Amino acid sequence: AAGGYEWVPAAGVPARTRQERDRVVRRHLIPRVGRVRLAALNALHVETLYAELRAAGVGGWTVRTAADLLSIALNYAVRLKLVPANPADAVPEPKGPRRELVPLDAPQTAAVLGAAAGEPCGPLVAVALGTGCRQGERLGLGWPGVDLDRGRLTVRRGLTHTEAGGYALKESKTPTSRRTVVLPPFAADALRDLRGRAVAAGLADAPVFC
């Protein structure tokens, strides 16, 4: 409070997640409640914060993340006996505006694939459109996880940010993250072509999108 901000990293939280949370704190929390002294922060401040975020059209995920981070920080202050209670507990959890996701239709998908055809990123674009896998999952894909005969791929790991600012492959932790995805024909064809070029270049054991 009162303009001060110190990030206390939680054990086991990926670097990318901490970066996103830090961005939310600096962009949305500090400008609105950062100058309020901790002892003076009350439920009205918190309620006003949520109202301002909604009025600014901030996305629902960001609003909820801001609320969660503020509550975590205040609960930490309660544990340290810096404040007697968490003022956010008295304010209903905010619900930011939901942004409707509009998927590409068939002509739009064909247009994107056509624009990417022949480009180095073409197979990556085809897998993105055909599977819906996250970017880190696509970039972490290895050839052992690609079954071109059956037309499917298995997601087991992802490419993530490291503490040092680089990248590393990390095994997926949850059952929902570890999954098998069916490849539509256009994605399978793109990977089949990429596989042929990888073998010819002696990169058969390299990551798919190396």
Side-chain angles (χ1 to χ4, degrees):
Y5 170 50
E6 179 182 355
W7 184 259
V8 180
V13 177
R16 181 62 179 271
T17 301
R18 284 200 295 275
Q19 292 170 3
E20 291 174 347
R21 291 175 178 176
D22 184 73
R23 177 185 60 81
V24 171
V25 170
R26 295 187 183 278
R27 184 173 180 180
H28 299 293
L29 292 181
I30 289 179
R32 292 178 170 86
V33 296
R35 294 188 177 278
V36 181
R37 296 191 63 82
L38 181 60
L41 189 68
N42 58 42
L44 182 58
H45 290 114
V46 177
E47 194 169 73
T48 301
L49 164 69
Y50 297 164
E52 289 179 355
L53 291 175
R54 287 192 294 265
V58 176
W61 179 89
T62 302
V63 173
R64 289 190 294 274
T65 299
D68 289 343
L69 292 174
L70 178 62
S71 186
I72 289 171
L74 292 173
N75 282 331
Y76 182 65
V78 171
R79 289 199 302 274
L80 295 182
K81 300 186 184 303
L82 299 177
V83 290
N86 181 351
D89 288 344
V91 183
E93 181 180 350
K95 295 181 180 180
R98 293 189 177 274
R99 297 179 180 176
E100 182 180 359
L101 297 178
V102 182
L104 299 180
D105 58 25
Q108 290 171 329
T109 300
V112 173
L113 290 172
E119 298 291 336
C121 66
L124 182 61
V125 171
V127 171
L129 291 174
T131 66
C133 290
R134 300 179 182 90
Q135 178 172 285
E137 294 173 336
R138 298 193 302 273
L139 296 178
L141 186 64
W143 284 113
V146 179
D147 188 340
L148 294 174
D149 293 330
R150 297 183 180 181
R152 64 188 187 186
L153 60 82
T154 302
V155 177
R156 296 192 183 95
R157 63 185 186 181
L159 190 69
T160 63
H161 289 271
T162 65
E163 293 285 353
Y167 296 89
L169 292 172
K170 186 176 182 180
E171 295 295 319
S172 302
K173 291 183 177 180
T174 64
T176 54
S177 296
R178 297 187 300 270
R179 64 196 186 281
T180 298
V181 182
V182 175
L183 289 168
F186 68 81
D189 290 343
L191 286 174
R192 192 171 289 109
D193 178 68
L194 182 62
R195 175 64 176 174
R197 287 186 277 127
V199 171
L203 300 173
D205 296 326
V208 173
F209 301 110
C210 61

